[in-house]
Amino acid sequence: KNLACPQKAMAETKRKVDGVQVFGRKKTSVAVAYCKRGKGLIKVNGQPIEHVQPEGLRDKVLEPIYLLGYPRFSGVDIRIRVRGGGHTAQIYAIRQALSKSIVAFNQKYVDEATKKEIKDILMSYDRSLLVADPRRCEPKKFGGRSARARFQKSYR
């Protein structure tokens, strides 16, 4: 069929994988989640989600799984890449990407009713699981040491 371009011919012979790619954001960190049919693997930067650092915030990452129950995640593999920001911002970006990926996958490949049910559970618990926080760091201005604080005024 496509003898001129062997890559295209190979791509056509490969079967199409059911998958969605979504992102989660917090401050300057961005987490990209790729969700596809599988057997329940959830990995963050190649490590299992149970090994996420710091341990104090590990429960925050696992919140979507606690809320929806593990059976909803057993039919999908989710791979998350995260970069930028600090530890806490990365944790919040990961949990948002995880939540958005399961909602998007259910919308595209399962059905609208399941997606609505999942979305309602997540929204009723915490809106930041699905909606990004628009707040950003305000830039520093001249005449002071920070964005708002000014140097002390003296007359003598």
Side-chain angles (χ1 to χ4, degrees), residues 59-73:
D59 281 342
K60 274 283 180 206
V61 174
L62 298 171
E63 269 175 5
I65 300 166
Y66 294 153
L67 288 170
L68 301 172
Y70 191 74
R72 285 201 207 266
F73 290 87

Side-chain angles (χ1 to χ4, degrees), residues 31-98:
V32 179
Y34 181 68
C35 181
K36 60 178 183 174
R37 290 195 196 280
K39 51 185 187 290
L41 288 172
I42 302 174
K43 295 207 168 185
V44 177
N45 289 346
Q47 303 278 17
I49 197 165
E50 296 84 36
H51 297 169
V52 169
Q53 294 293 333
E55 281 130 50
L57 292 169
R58 198 170 287 160
D59 281 342
K60 274 283 180 206
V61 174
L62 298 171
E63 269 175 5
I65 300 166
Y66 294 153
L67 288 170
L68 301 172
Y70 191 74
R72 285 201 207 266
F73 290 87
S74 60
V76 293
D77 285 351
I78 302 173
R79 287 192 170 23
I80 302 171
R81 294 186 316 275
V82 63
R83 57 190 311 175
H87 296 298
T88 306
Q90 283 193 352
I91 294 289
Y92 277 86
I94 290 167
R95 76 198 279 259
Q96 190 182 83
L98 186 63

Side-chain angles (χ1 to χ4, degrees), residues 7 61 89 95 128 148:
Q7 283 89 7
V61 174
R95 76 198 279 259
S128 70
R148 300 284 175 97

Side-chain angles (χ1 to χ4, degrees), residues 1-2 5-17:
K1 206 171 183 181
N2 273 338
C5 188
Q7 283 89 7
K8 270 191 181 175
M10 222 162 115
E12 284 175 11
T13 57
K14 280 186 186 174
R15 66 180 187 85
K16 193 172 182 302
V17 180

Side-chain angles (χ1 to χ4, degrees), residues 130-149:
L130 295 174
V131 181
D133 187 352
R135 295 177 297 173
R136 294 291 175 266
C137 187
E138 190 177 341
K140 181 196 175 300
K141 283 89 174 181
F142 56 85
R145 58 182 169 72
S146 68
R148 300 284 175 97

